[in-house]
Amino acid sequence: MINPKKYNTLLQYFVLFLTISALVSCNQQKFYLTKIEGQKLGITNSNAELAAIENYIKPYRDSIDTDLNATLAYAPQTIDKSGEWQSPLGSLQADVSLERGNLIFKSREKKSIDICLLNHGGIRAIINKGNVTSRTAFEIMPFENSLIVIGLKGNQIKEIASYIIESKKPQPLSGMTFSIDKNNNAQNILVQGKPIDETKTYYVATSDYLSNGGDNMKFFAKSVEKYDLDYKLRNVLIDYFKEVDTIPIINDKRIIVE
């Protein structure tokens, strides 16, 4: 005969065992990364798949090369970005960006760009003496930067001069001139040949990168107006090359040390 008291005790232990087992089984199992393995897969000219890929892309590459290598203009001498306060290539790029940017800005906004400021470090190649092609523009401007127009008040234009003096680099500059006195301060700042009017809004063409404070150009953050011309700086150069026969050598003094 079964003792009810012992049976109940055994039943309680059994239920407790099942409960603990269920709880343990419900816990998520944790996994830990202990090793990473890799393997090099060689690709050689003897690889049949590589040859097939090469044959597939060749027509496209040849077409692109034809377009990039077509002669657009001629450079009578090598044009580079070397210089103390301005450089031939920097001045050319700023002039061209102001000129061609104005074609869009005047048409769209009925306003004129007063100044163009770009950055010395953004120029990544030179224009070699001889034929100039679209590839030249891609080498000078390999990035996807676009032309932006920023509205700044007169006192913020003064910050541009201070920035250039402090950077000690030939930043591409157009539409603005000034002198540097013995105390390293900007004097005689002129915009389009006229003294600054601090109450006026001046329109400055620059790149999208710089307009967002790149290269520490923090004064652009104080903009009162901003316009995206949707015009890549590289395409600005290409369009200019297509229009000219011979590229000019620009050596005028935009910044003078007194």
Side-chain angles (χ1 to χ4, degrees), residues 85-231:
W85 293 107
Q86 56 264 312
S87 72
L89 184 50
S91 295
L92 174 70
Q93 185 191 27
D95 284 356
V96 170
S97 297
L98 191 153
E99 175 189 325
R100 296 204 60 82
N102 250 334
L103 297 176
I104 299 173
F105 196 56
K106 287 181 178 180
S107 174
R108 186 186 300 171
E109 305 297 336
K110 311 305 179 187
K111 301 174 183 178
S112 295
I113 299 171
D114 300 292
I115 300 168
C116 180
L117 174 66
L118 299 169
N119 61 325
H120 178 263
I123 301 174
R124 293 307 179 98
I126 64 175
I127 298 177
N128 287 305
K129 178 181 178 180
N131 292 336
V132 177
T133 66
S134 293
R135 188 181 298 277
T136 306
F138 273 84
E139 291 170 347
I140 294 172
M141 295 298 302
F143 312 111
E144 297 300 310
N145 295 120
S146 295
L147 201 59
I148 303 291
V149 177
I150 300 292
L152 296 177
K153 291 297 185 181
N155 60 337
Q156 293 156 2
I157 297 300
K158 293 180 179 179
E159 293 183 43
I160 292 178
S162 298
Y163 171 85
I164 293 174
I165 294 172
E166 185 178 350
S167 71
K168 296 182 173 60
K169 293 179 181 178
Q171 310 289 0
L173 181 68
S174 180
M176 175 178 170
T177 61
F178 62 91
S179 59
I180 305 173
D181 65 17
K182 61 182 180 180
N183 295 317
N184 224 30
N185 295 317
Q187 302 292 335
N188 307 313
I189 302 174
L190 301 177
V191 177
Q192 295 296 325
K194 298 178 181 180
I196 290 178
D197 179 352
E198 295 198 4
T199 64
K200 179 181 177 180
T201 297
Y202 292 91
Y203 295 101
V204 184
T206 189
S207 73
D208 53 350
Y209 167 69
L210 299 176
S211 72
N212 292 320
D215 268 16
N216 209 32
M217 294 191 185
K218 298 178 181 178
F219 44 83
F220 282 130
K222 303 175 183 179
S223 63
V224 294
E225 298 176 48
K226 187 173 183 178
Y227 305 88
D228 186 349
L229 300 188
D230 193 25
Y231 196 5

Side-chain angles (χ1 to χ4, degrees), residues 13-23:
Y13 279 121
F14 180 73
V15 170
L16 179 62
F17 172 78
L18 290 178
T19 302
I20 294 173
S21 298
L23 290 173

Side-chain angles (χ1 to χ4, degrees), residues 23-85:
L23 290 173
V24 171
S25 64
C26 288
N27 287 339
Q28 292 184 349
Q29 187 176 2
K30 295 183 178 180
F31 295 93
Y32 299 93
L33 180 65
T34 59
K35 183 171 62 174
I36 298 176
E37 293 183 343
Q39 181 181 2
K40 290 185 177 180
L41 299 176
I43 300 178
T44 66
N45 291 331
S46 61
N47 190 312
E49 292 183 359
L50 179 62
I53 294 172
E54 172 66 21
N55 291 333
Y56 180 79
I57 66 173
K58 187 178 184 303
Y60 301 99
R61 184 176 58 207
D62 291 347
S63 176
I64 292 172
D65 284 342
T66 298
D67 291 339
L68 290 178
N69 295 331
T71 299
L72 304 179
Y74 178 79
Q77 66 183 60
T78 296
I79 306 172
D80 61 27
K81 66 174 187 176
S82 62
E84 185 176 4
W85 293 107

